[in-house]
Amino acid sequence: MTTTQQSFALNSLTQDFLARDEHFLFINGGRVPASSGETLSTVAPSTGETLATFSSGNAADIDRAVTAARAAFQGEWSTWTPYQRQELLVKVARVLDERFEELAQIESLDMGAPISRVLSSKPALMRMLSFFAAQALNISGETLQNGIPGQVTTMTLKAPVGVIGGIIPWNGPLNSQFWIIGAVLASGCTTVLKPAQYASLSVLRVAEILHEAGVPAGVVNVVTGRGSEAGTALAAHTDVDRVAFTGSTETGQRIIEASTSNIKKLQLELGGKSADIICADADLDKAVPAAAMGVFANSGQICYAGTRVLVQRSIVDEFTEKLLAYVDTLRVGHSLDPDSALGPVISESQLDTVLSYVDVGLAEGADLLYGGQRLADQAGGYFMQPTVFGGVTNTMRIAREEIFGPVLSILPFDDIDEAIAIANDSDFGLGGAVWSENISTALKVVQGVHTGTMWVNCYGYVDPMVGFSGTKLSGYGAKGTSAHMDTYLYTKSVYIQL
């Protein structure tokens, strides 16, 4: 494992954006300061230095943005045809394709993801926009039979829900926001986005680019600020019809409580503690790197990270040896270094939290096999060694609680029934995987594990045509497929007396 610390050239557009004295809110097609005049600073996780200053919105700003979104929803935007909305999405895709390097650099600097990882996410974003462009033409109701006497024709129509509140996570805001924006533009809804305090810049920049590309004023609004102020106000606002949230389970529970103000519809993608099951007949040349990066990608800051690696006991030693050898090749460094496999974690406080779990694991009797320390030679940055624990049982906190950092736990199992039982012995149900050359074994695990998404001989694929969702404390609500679009629409029953 090696580390790097150096400077890197930035796109001129990136430089111009970062050079602004203050990054304002984006409401009704324009940049506006927070009503209070208050600001917050964002820190580059790779250096610990202030990267930018942005407006700190509050309830009054959320109300301004919701008012703009409601006016746009009821205004000219409501007259756009499905073809026009599809055409707009195609244009947005083309513009984002041209501007992706700028956005990727902003994202990498602001939240610390390795630039190689962000750049490699571009095809996924293009596929997502293609999916939603297709969905714009796929909204339809039904003509239904009925039992009413006389000549009564009955049908259903699908109509846009209205104003969508979107609360964006800090672990990948550039692509995450388009699960909301794509559905909004396809359905005819409007949105107010509240990005995470730690990573707001790419969301603000995207809103500006969307407006330049022709998205009407008020359709996409962004209010930055503290979650306890702007986020809470958005979740509770009585003129917001639906909230889509990705983040911690604890925050999700508070959003559920806030939604009772007007019985909002919700889509919640929350915490995870996914089990990655390695059977004795697995192809370890494929399973080892995939299991490692199923945890260490984005420095472990992925909700569906496979942090519980369940390994059949007969191959635990072989798997562990290969895993540690692979981890030792991973390069940790500045997020803009194209050779970095791992960047920093998002903040000093998050680093402290992750390191505290290393102490917890040791105290509980787990074996620290690799890492476990902050990288001291990365001056100012929030870097941590990729960390591997062996000798872990499913009763330990490091196996039960979401750490959200680069910490992998190896748990042995004897047979498939035991592996399924261990996987299901969790409060979470977001992701999971099984590695086996026997399709019957793999399907038994797929059918037995109670989780929203399962991968077989792979890890982490997400496609909007297939979908992704959670169970248990990992949340609920469709993400992807036509069911995703249905949550941005409501069904209207129509009776016509002939």
Side-chain angles (χ1 to χ4, degrees):
M1 182 183 66
T2 57
T3 61
T4 62
Q5 184 75 26
Q6 51 189 296
S7 59
F8 302 91
L10 294 177
N11 181 303
S12 61
L13 292 171
T14 307
Q15 294 181 50
D16 291 344
F17 178 74
L18 295 176
R20 295 178 184 175
D21 292 334
E22 181 179 341
H23 296 273
F24 294 135
L25 316 177
F26 193 84
I27 298 176
N28 204 29
R31 298 172 58 238
V32 296
S35 57
S36 66
E38 292 185 6
T39 61
L40 294 169
S41 294
T42 185
V43 171
S46 290
T47 64
E49 298 174 349
T50 298
L51 179 65
T53 299
F54 59 93
S55 301
S56 180
N58 57 23
D61 300 302
I62 289 292
D63 191 58
R64 280 198 293 168
V66 171
T67 298
R70 179 62 63 187
F73 176 70
Q74 295 174 341
E76 183 183 351
W77 175 240
S78 67
T79 69
W80 281 47
T81 68
Y83 284 110
Q84 287 175 304
R85 295 198 302 271
Q86 183 190 59
E87 197 174 291
L88 178 61
L89 276 159
V90 170
K91 183 178 181 182
V92 164
R94 184 171 65 251
V95 171
L96 291 174
D97 182 38
E98 296 167 353
R99 301 287 289 274
F100 197 80
E101 181 186 54
E102 170 197 357
L103 293 169
Q105 289 183 344
I106 292 170
E107 177 94 336
S108 182
L109 281 169
D110 197 21
M111 63 78 52
I115 188 67
S116 59
R117 171 181 169 79
V118 185
L119 289 172
S120 69
S121 72
K122 180 180 177 180
L125 175 59
M126 294 299 111
R127 288 195 299 270
M128 192 185 304
L129 291 168
S130 294
F131 169 79
F132 284 118
Q135 292 301 309
L137 303 185
N138 199 35
I139 297 170
S140 61
E142 297 178 287
T143 301
L144 302 171
Q145 296 186 33
N146 64 76
I148 301 170
Q151 291 184 302
V152 178
T153 296
T154 48
M155 66 183 71
T156 60
L157 303 176
K158 293 290 183 69
V161 166
V163 177
I164 310 298
I167 301 179
I168 312 297
W170 51 255
N171 63 330
L174 177 54
N175 279 25
S176 293
Q177 63 188 304
F178 282 97
W179 286 105
I180 300 169
I181 294 172
V184 161
L185 298 184
S187 66
C189 291
T190 59
T191 187
V192 176
L193 301 178
K194 162 60 181 72
Q197 179 179 337
Y198 287 125
S200 296
L201 297 183
S202 65
V203 182
L204 284 171
R205 191 60 176 142
V206 162
E208 296 174 4
I209 291 172
L210 292 178
H211 186 63
E212 293 168 8
V215 174
V219 172
V220 176
N221 308 273
V222 180
V223 177
T224 54
R226 295 180 177 87
S228 59
E229 296 179 1
T232 298
L234 182 60
H237 201 291
T238 55
D239 206 22
V240 170
D241 301 293
R242 181 181 185 275
V243 167
F245 169 77
T246 300
S248 72
T249 297
E250 293 75 17
T251 303
Q253 290 169 328
R254 291 196 293 271
I255 287 173
I256 292 171
E257 293 171 357
S259 72
T260 61
S261 64
N262 62 332
I263 318 298
K264 290 179 181 63
K265 297 176 175 65
L266 298 176
Q267 186 270 315
L268 304 172
E269 182 187 325
L270 308 177
K273 197 69 183 176
S274 301
D276 197 350
I277 299 171
I278 317 295
C279 298
D281 65 343
D283 183 342
L284 294 187
D285 289 338
K286 295 178 180 178
V288 166
M293 297 315 293
V295 179
F296 299 135
N298 213 30
S299 297
Q301 300 168 129
I302 300 176
C303 53
Y304 56 76
T307 51
R308 291 186 298 157
V309 180
L310 280 54
V311 184
Q312 198 147 16
R313 199 176 301 276
S314 62
I315 62 165
V316 165
D317 291 343
E318 180 185 5
F319 175 87
T320 302
E321 181 181 353
K322 290 179 179 291
L323 176 72
L324 297 180
Y326 178 81
V327 173
D328 202 49
T329 68
L330 298 177
R331 183 172 182 144
V332 182
H334 194 292
S335 60
L336 287 183
D337 185 342
D339 294 324
S340 293
L342 279 74
V345 297
I346 188 71
S347 67
E348 184 88 48
S349 63
Q350 183 63 21
L351 178 59
D352 290 342
T353 296
V354 178
L355 290 171
S356 73
Y357 273 102
V358 175
D359 295 335
V360 167
L362 290 171
E364 291 182 321
D367 301 320
L368 181 60
L369 304 179
Y370 196 99
Q373 297 181 357
R374 180 174 186 164
L375 288 171
D377 58 335
Q378 295 286 355
Y382 312 130
F383 296 90
M384 181 176 171
Q385 295 171 309
T387 298
V388 178
F389 275 106
V392 179
T393 67
N394 208 45
T395 60
M396 295 179 179
R397 286 179 58 196
I398 59 172
R400 303 202 67 82
E401 299 176 13
E402 186 176 42
I403 299 173
F404 227 61
V407 180
L408 182 155
S409 294
I410 299 175
L411 293 81
F413 68 90
D414 290 311
D415 56 41
I416 296 304
D417 289 335
E418 183 185 11
I420 293 171
I422 293 172
N424 286 335
D425 183 16
S426 173
D427 294 331
F428 300 103
L430 193 56
V434 56
W435 295 80
S436 174
E437 295 297 287
N438 186 317
I439 190 63
S440 296
T441 299
L443 288 178
K444 181 177 181 178
V445 175
V446 166
Q447 293 169 0
V449 176
H450 188 192
T451 189
T453 300
M454 283 293 292
W455 295 282
V456 178
N457 294 331
C458 58
Y459 202 91
Y461 294 153
V462 176
D463 189 285
M465 291 178 65
V466 182
F468 180 83
S469 60
T471 62
K472 300 193 277 189
L473 290 187
S474 291
Y476 55 81
K479 194 170 186 179
T481 73
S482 59
H484 181 113
M485 282 299 299
D486 283 343
T487 63
Y488 286 73
L489 305 163
Y490 70 93
T491 300
K492 184 179 298 187
S493 299
V494 180
Y495 297 79
I496 303 174
Q497 176 70 64
L498 301 180

